[in-house]
Every structure is written in C-alpha cells, then in structure tokens.
Amino acid sequence: MPLPTSPIIRRARLGAELRQLRRRDALTLEQVCERLGWASTSKLSRIELGQSRPDLADVLDLLDVYQVPPPQRDALIVIARDAATSRGWWKSLGEMSERQRTYAELEAGAAGIVEYQPAVVPGLLQTSAYARLRITAGQLLDPAVDLEADLRARAARHAVLRRVEPPRYTALITEVACEPAGDPVEVWRDQLRYLLELAALPHVTIRLLPLGAGPGPAPLTPFSCYSFPDPADPRTVMLEALTTDVRLTTVVDVDRYEQIIACLLEAALPEEETVRVLARRLDE
C-alpha cells in the first residue's frame, strides 16, 4: 500500500527540525551525545542530516533533552514515525537498488511530480520491453546491474500512477526521446500505445518539446521535481547522473529548477497536440 508521506523527505525534515532545536539551546553534538550516553557524534549527525532511518526511542530521548513541549513534540513524533517506516513496506515493492529506493520513496508521498527527459522516455512511463532495452544498454557500463531485479523494481514503482489518490504527474519529453533510434519497431509501437494510454489519465500530462523550441538550448541533464501534501516538507529536485543522482532541497536550488520547468512548459507542445503527434507516429 502506498505511503501518505515520503520517508526520505520526512527524514530530511526531522533532521532539520532536530538540528534547529539543538542550535536553539546552543548545544554541540558532543554535549547532546554526552547527555544521552551515545558513544559518538556520528549517530546524531546522521539523524540531523536525514541519512539514517531514525529509531523512535532515540528521537524521544532527543525531544526530552531539548524539552520540547506539546503540541510541537506530538508533531515531531508523527514525523519521526513516518521517517522510520518499516522495512516491510519495501518487501511489498520487491527488491530495489539504492537509487531505485530513493525515487520510490519520493514518489510514494508526492502530491506533484514533474519529470524532464532529453534522451529517453521517463521511467514511470516505460513499458517493460522498452525498460529492458534501456537497462541492457546500461549494463555495458555497469555489468553488476541485475536486469530482472531492476525490471521488477520499475514495475513496482509504476503503481504510483494507478493508486487511488495518485500524484499530479507531468512529463516533459524532447522529440529526440521519442525517436526509435534503432530499437525494434514493435517495442516502439507498444511504447507509443502506452504513452497514449497514460496521457488519457486525468492526473497525467505529457508534453513534447520540439527540436529548437524555447528561448535557449534545453538542459542536457534529466531531472525531476517533487512537491508534497504537507507544505512544510521540502520540495525536492533529483538530478539524474550516469553513476549516481544528486538530491537538491534548498529553496534557491528548487526555485531555479522550477523556473526552468516554467520555460520548458512555455516551449512545449500543448497536451492535445502532443497526443496527436504521438498518435500520428504510432500510425506511421
């Protein structure tokens, strides 16, 4: 069952809130750990940076040290429980790599997702056959990639667009990304049919970017932006690189990418025209 919140974002928010409380009391990492009897500061540092799944008992101890009163304490306990999501939830999604898990956590609690892809169809819109081609190509650079496990993980993530209360999803795809580029014709026919099927969903928007459209060259790096139901949860941008991904959450960074999205939307074909172009390519 999809989560109402995003664990990775809740961990980031919890860490920021706890760091603010510590600094409010003018305490160092060492002083807090000494009061709690923790062996080193690395545990607290990882919690504050949102890098570890927090133990609720540890969070309660920290709230005691900072003497946090209700209702602030109660609100932070709710966030901590979301951040410490059971691993059983991941078992229901199947095996996932660390990169896939990050995206799945963001998608799980997102209210809105905007993806930009300059070269391929976005992962949430890929058929199994198309995804298999992309993953197989990636194995040339990383032979350790488990093809079948990666396919299962992608299929599990696709459920986010079919759930009862799905996020608003917008895909900005360049014309280059919609060219067969040597892929088998039947794979592309199925992929185009699937794009048209998803575009018919009320919460899914697909927009094509014609070659040379816009005030300047389109970004070369794929990225995705996430917003969440709780406005206090930080908006997030993920930059997709070759071997790893970069997560941005500062207001300055996110605002900049949202400005890029606004420019791309201005340059993209309208939703109805995009559907007509995709249907025409399917007929061809």
Side-chain angles (χ1 to χ4, degrees), residues 129-142:
Y130 180 89
R132 184 179 291 274
L133 290 175
R134 303 281 76 77
I135 299 168
T136 301
Q139 285 180 313
L140 297 175
L141 297 174
D142 185 5

Side-chain angles (χ1 to χ4, degrees), residues 45-192:
S45 178
R46 288 182 62 81
I47 291 175
E48 289 190 357
L49 293 173
Q51 294 177 343
S52 64
R53 195 182 306 271
D55 185 283
L56 185 57
D58 291 337
V59 175
L60 293 175
D61 288 341
L62 288 168
L63 297 180
D64 288 340
V65 169
Y66 304 141
Q67 299 182 353
V68 180
Q72 183 184 12
R73 180 186 180 92
D74 296 336
L76 288 173
I77 289 173
V78 171
I79 295 172
R81 284 177 176 151
D82 291 339
T85 301
S86 167
R87 292 184 182 275
W89 183 69
W90 291 118
K91 291 180 181 178
S92 70
L93 286 182
E95 183 181 0
M96 282 191 177
S97 66
E98 192 62 35
R99 294 182 77 177
Q100 290 266 22
R101 184 177 294 112
T102 297
Y103 282 100
E105 284 201 10
L106 289 167
E107 292 158 359
I113 302 172
V114 180
E115 286 198 80
Y116 165 72
Q117 267 290 354
V120 299
V121 173
L124 286 179
L125 306 181
Q126 293 177 3
T127 64
S128 177
Y130 180 89
R132 184 179 291 274
L133 290 175
R134 303 281 76 77
I135 299 168
T136 301
Q139 285 180 313
L140 297 175
L141 297 174
D142 185 5
V145 171
D146 186 329
L147 173 62
E148 298 304 326
D150 206 334
L151 282 171
R152 289 193 297 271
R154 290 176 188 235
R157 286 174 52 203
H158 285 182
V160 72
L161 296 181
R162 304 284 189 175
R163 72 189 189 196
V164 176
E165 295 184 4
R168 299 181 309 278
Y169 177 84
T170 298
L172 288 157
I173 314 173
T174 65
E175 280 194 319
V176 172
C178 288
E179 294 293 337
D183 293 336
V185 173
E186 282 306 315
V187 171
W188 260 103
R189 283 178 179 160
D190 288 343
Q191 181 61 69
L192 288 171

Side-chain angles (χ1 to χ4, degrees), residues 116-120 174 217-223 239-241 257 260 264:
Y116 165 72
Q117 267 290 354
V120 299
T174 65
L220 298 177
T221 304
F223 66 87
L239 300 180
E240 186 179 331
Y257 276 90
I260 293 174
L264 292 173

Side-chain angles (χ1 to χ4, degrees), residues 38 94 107 234 247 263:
W38 291 358
E107 292 158 359
R247 179 157 54 100
C263 292

